Amino acid sequence: MLTRGLPSVAVIADAHFHDTAANFGFPRIEIDGQQITMRSWSDTRQSTRVFNESADALHAALHEVQRRSIRHVVLLGDYTDDGQRTTTETLKGILQRHSDSYGTAFYALPGNHDIFGPRGRHHTKEFLAENGRGLSVSSDARLAEERTVFNDGMYCEGYPDGLSPMAAFGYFRRPDYLHWETPFGGSDAPQDRLYDVRSPDGSNVYRLMDASYLLEPEPGLWLLMIDANIFEPLDGIFETGEEAAFTDSTSGGWNALLRSKPFIIDWIADVNRRAQALSKTVLAFSHYPALDPFNGATGAESTLFGETNVVRRTPRKAVVDALLQAGLSVHFSGHLHVEGVTRRGDGDRSLTNIAVPSLVAFPPAFKVVHPSHEVITVETVEMSTLPVNNRICAAYAQETALAREVPDPAFTAGNYGVFLRGHKRALVRHRYFLKEWPADIVAAIQHRTVMDVLGLFSRKPGPPADAVLSAALPMLELIADWYCLRQGAALALPHIEPDRLVLYRALAERFGREPENHDSTLEGFLGIFFGALGLFLDRAERGSRRITVELAPRRELLAV
């Protein structure tokens, strides 16, 4: 197939940059003569992302971008830890220096961690002080006390103030853009990018800013940057613009966009009509997935655990229908820190959602898109082989020693990928077991081997014949790998020992159940759990580090 090349675009999702050199006005922990502004391990092991490793991961990703001579980089939301003023300013400097040195252009989108509502919100975080013990820093002066330091650099701004530090990175027009617009027209002024949104009972009405934009960085390529960071007003009496007056955008995404910003769908349709007429290739981006990035493989999750974060954040069918009708073809998403490709539709109308992993969760990776007018190829750049920061791990060890805890094996990991897999194990123990899993199931299995757990079945099945030796594996290891496969798909397979994969496949085939066959017994729970494990394995084995998406041929303009 003869293709006409367009510039490559790197897509970095969920970098969650935390500034380990920030000065928040307290004596920081010092390792090997270097002071580090460190979040605690006790917080890290309860978070779906790591914090202190983010700076090294981002610098490594930008180095790889430069090494590959890529001129265009999309920051797919959650580019900051939590939108703190200090953090965002530091990130701005890093991006600007990279741009000045290598001519790289960055195009940003807001994620739920970067900006909040019209007025912003306070943050309070725990750090390690000079003695290795925890100390909180807050932007809320009302919380200041002996173990909480006040610093307004911890504050997260709202719209439009939170966009100002990142103004040079796509949010506002620049003279070198061949084309730039918003859903409201050609003006980039915040006051010209407002929409009305109201609470369910209509009592609270706000005019909020939308940060979506379309740009043409080089001839023939349109980047459609969609702000799906939705803040919906609540019923009740609040101080104007305060945090409590709005839903958090975390679980809203495209489901909330259909309610609050239907004009975005009309704009997408209009952009696609014009793109066809002008022979432009459109790549669409938003922080939030437009299709289920797990491709249905987590259908068991709501049965096992109820309404988890993943379940709440899954787009509904109405989103798919609206975007297909609007003619959207290719969309890139972040938010869930997952590797995945999902396609919906048929004939000449189909939508492919490419989920981009995070730099700070297993598996760490970003994407490079090689588009043409007929086909796009998407390459995965994994960051697992990065070295571990030994200073940070030494500080973790000091923290756990003071708490009289056993050091986590992750502290001595050989590389970043091994560290993040270790973080996943800690996450199972300190978050998923406590917040999502039924307590009686956890009590029954958490300290047992796979062999022991199979012995609890009423049928006493024993391990499958081809996996007997592996059945001595601790159940906790299997559960951690279940989450790794869920998040990493094909990228997870090289990180999991081959004999374990044989065991997991055998367990799925022999004991797996459909969610519809759920009962409240341990057997019923584990049957659905093993069934989901089989789906994760299927999805991983079908996946690839290199994705090709054929674009629909030019056709009559859509009538939407």
Side-chain angles (χ1 to χ4, degrees):
M1 176 184 296
L2 180 63
T3 62
R4 290 172 286 165
L6 294 168
S8 296
V9 179
V11 186
I12 297 175
D14 300 276
H16 283 291
F17 173 74
H18 160 66
D19 185 5
T20 54
N23 184 357
F24 288 121
F26 69 94
R28 298 169 287 171
I29 191 168
E30 185 174 309
I31 303 293
D32 296 337
Q34 178 179 323
Q35 288 190 336
I36 310 175
T37 307
M38 272 195 64
R39 298 288 299 278
S40 66
W41 175 251
S42 61
D43 275 0
T44 302
R45 67 190 182 187
Q46 297 179 63
S47 170
T48 54
R49 68 186 193 271
V50 298
F51 305 110
N52 306 300
E53 294 73 19
S54 61
D56 290 340
L58 178 61
H59 284 297
L62 294 180
H63 174 74
E64 187 65 18
V65 165
Q66 176 264 320
R67 190 184 71 81
R68 292 166 177 252
S69 300
I70 297 171
R71 299 190 304 276
H72 304 285
V73 179
V74 169
L75 299 176
L76 204 52
D78 284 0
Y79 39 77
T80 61
D81 170 48
D82 248 333
Q84 301 95 327
R85 288 167 174 156
T86 297
T87 302
T88 310
E89 284 292 337
T90 302
L91 176 63
K92 168 190 172 181
I94 291 170
L95 300 179
Q96 192 60 60
R97 286 191 295 274
H98 195 278
S99 180
D100 293 342
S101 298
Y102 306 111
T104 312
F106 294 93
Y107 315 108
L109 274 172
N112 54 300
H113 285 271
D114 300 315
I115 196 166
F116 190 95
R119 227 177 61 185
R121 62 178 168 182
H122 287 294
H123 279 307
T124 302
K125 308 289 183 184
E126 184 178 84
F127 295 86
L128 296 184
E130 59 184 344
N131 57 8
R133 299 189 186 280
L135 179 146
S136 293
V137 179
S138 179
S139 59
D140 190 343
R142 297 169 297 181
L143 301 181
E145 57 183 33
E146 182 180 355
R147 300 299 299 172
T148 302
V149 173
F150 166 73
N151 191 291
D152 64 3
M154 288 291 290
Y155 194 77
C156 171
E157 299 284 7
Y159 288 86
D161 292 348
L163 302 176
S164 296
M166 305 290 285
F169 310 125
Y171 286 130
F172 298 90
R173 182 189 303 278
R174 292 176 62 88
D176 52 327
Y177 298 158
L178 300 180
H179 178 77
W180 190 97
E181 67 176 70
T182 79
F184 309 96
S187 172
D188 65 354
Q191 65 269 22
D192 294 329
R193 301 162 73 177
L194 302 177
Y195 66 100
D196 292 330
V197 63
R198 62 188 63 240
S199 61
D201 67 4
S203 60
N204 295 319
V205 181
Y206 286 89
R207 300 211 77 199
L208 302 181
M209 179 184 172
D210 171 79
S212 303
Y213 57 97
L214 170 71
L215 69 92
E216 184 172 13
E218 294 193 30
L221 179 63
W222 278 8
L223 305 182
L224 182 57
M225 311 292 284
I226 301 163
D227 179 6
N229 207 31
I230 311 298
F231 298 92
E232 298 179 289
L234 298 171
D235 296 336
I237 300 173
F238 303 97
E239 182 181 338
T240 302
E242 68 171 306
E243 176 183 355
F246 297 89
T247 61
D248 193 296
S249 60
T250 300
S251 296
W254 282 91
N255 294 325
L257 184 144
L258 290 189
R259 294 189 296 268
S260 297
K261 295 185 184 180
F263 62 88
I264 293 289
I265 303 298
D266 296 335
W267 181 55
I268 292 171
D270 181 59
V271 167
N272 282 316
R273 282 195 295 266
R274 286 183 280 138
Q276 288 189 41
L278 299 171
S279 296
K280 309 292 185 183
T281 294
V282 179
L283 302 179
F285 305 87
S286 76
H287 180 61
Y288 300 85
L291 302 177
D292 173 12
F294 300 100
N295 205 16
T298 57
E301 192 149 334
S302 60
T303 302
L304 294 173
F305 310 123
E307 195 179 40
T308 64
N309 284 337
V310 167
V311 173
R312 284 192 296 272
R313 299 174 189 185
T314 300
R316 299 186 181 93
K317 184 177 182 298
V319 172
V320 183
D321 293 342
L323 293 178
L324 283 172
Q325 184 69 13
L328 197 64
S329 295
V330 181
H331 177 268
F332 293 83
S333 67
H335 192 41
L336 293 179
H337 305 176
V338 60
E339 162 73 12
V341 180
T342 309
R343 182 182 179 275
R344 295 289 183 269
D346 53 43
D348 64 353
R349 285 196 182 183
S350 67
L351 170 61
T352 300
N353 189 91
I354 299 171
V356 182
S358 169
L359 294 184
V360 288
F362 181 91
F366 67 95
K367 302 288 186 183
V368 178
V369 187
H370 307 288
S372 75
H373 291 290
E374 293 83 21
V375 67
I376 69 166
T377 302
V378 184
E379 177 186 0
T380 302
V381 182
E382 193 171 349
M383 312 298 290
S384 290
T385 59
L386 294 177
V388 174
N389 190 315
N390 292 326
R391 286 192 179 95
I392 290 173
C393 288
Y396 289 147
Q398 184 175 328
E399 174 196 351
T400 52
L402 286 169
R404 298 183 178 178
E405 296 180 359
V406 176
D408 195 290
F411 302 166
T412 55
N415 61 42
Y416 188 41
V418 174
F419 175 84
L420 288 176
R421 192 178 173 200
H423 172 255
K424 190 72 76 178
R425 295 187 187 98
L427 195 59
V428 170
R429 292 194 303 270
H430 296 280
R431 177 178 174 131
Y432 295 137
F433 276 173
L434 297 178
K435 294 185 177 182
E436 295 185 2
W437 281 60
D440 59 330
I441 301 293
V442 173
I445 68 175
Q446 68 173 327
H447 299 302
R448 296 179 184 266
T449 66
V450 174
M451 178 89 76
D452 294 336
V453 167
L454 294 180
L456 299 175
F457 277 56
S458 59
R459 292 183 291 116
K460 305 292 183 188
D466 56 352
V468 172
L469 295 178
S470 302
L473 183 75
M475 194 66 187
L476 180 65
E477 290 288 310
L478 182 152
I479 294 168
D481 286 345
W482 188 91
Y483 283 102
C484 285
L485 285 163
R486 181 186 77 161
Q487 297 302 121
L491 300 185
L493 292 178
H495 296 270
I496 299 175
E497 295 77 1
D499 59 328
R500 292 193 187 189
L501 293 173
V502 171
L503 172 66
Y504 299 162
R505 175 58 72 187
L507 292 172
E509 292 178 351
R510 186 163 178 179
F511 305 114
R513 294 187 186 182
E514 297 292 330
E516 293 77 14
N517 298 327
H518 177 59
D519 59 56
S520 59
T521 65
L522 175 64
E523 251 182 89
F525 182 96
L526 290 175
I528 295 171
F529 184 80
F530 289 145
L533 180 61
L535 292 177
F536 296 159
L537 286 167
D538 291 342
R539 176 168 159 263
E541 290 166 359
R542 290 194 303 265
S544 172
R545 291 169 180 266
R546 196 172 183 88
I547 306 154
T548 299
V549 180
E550 290 191 12
L551 301 178
R554 304 293 169 190
R555 55 187 184 269
E556 292 184 9
L557 302 187
L558 298 173
V560 179

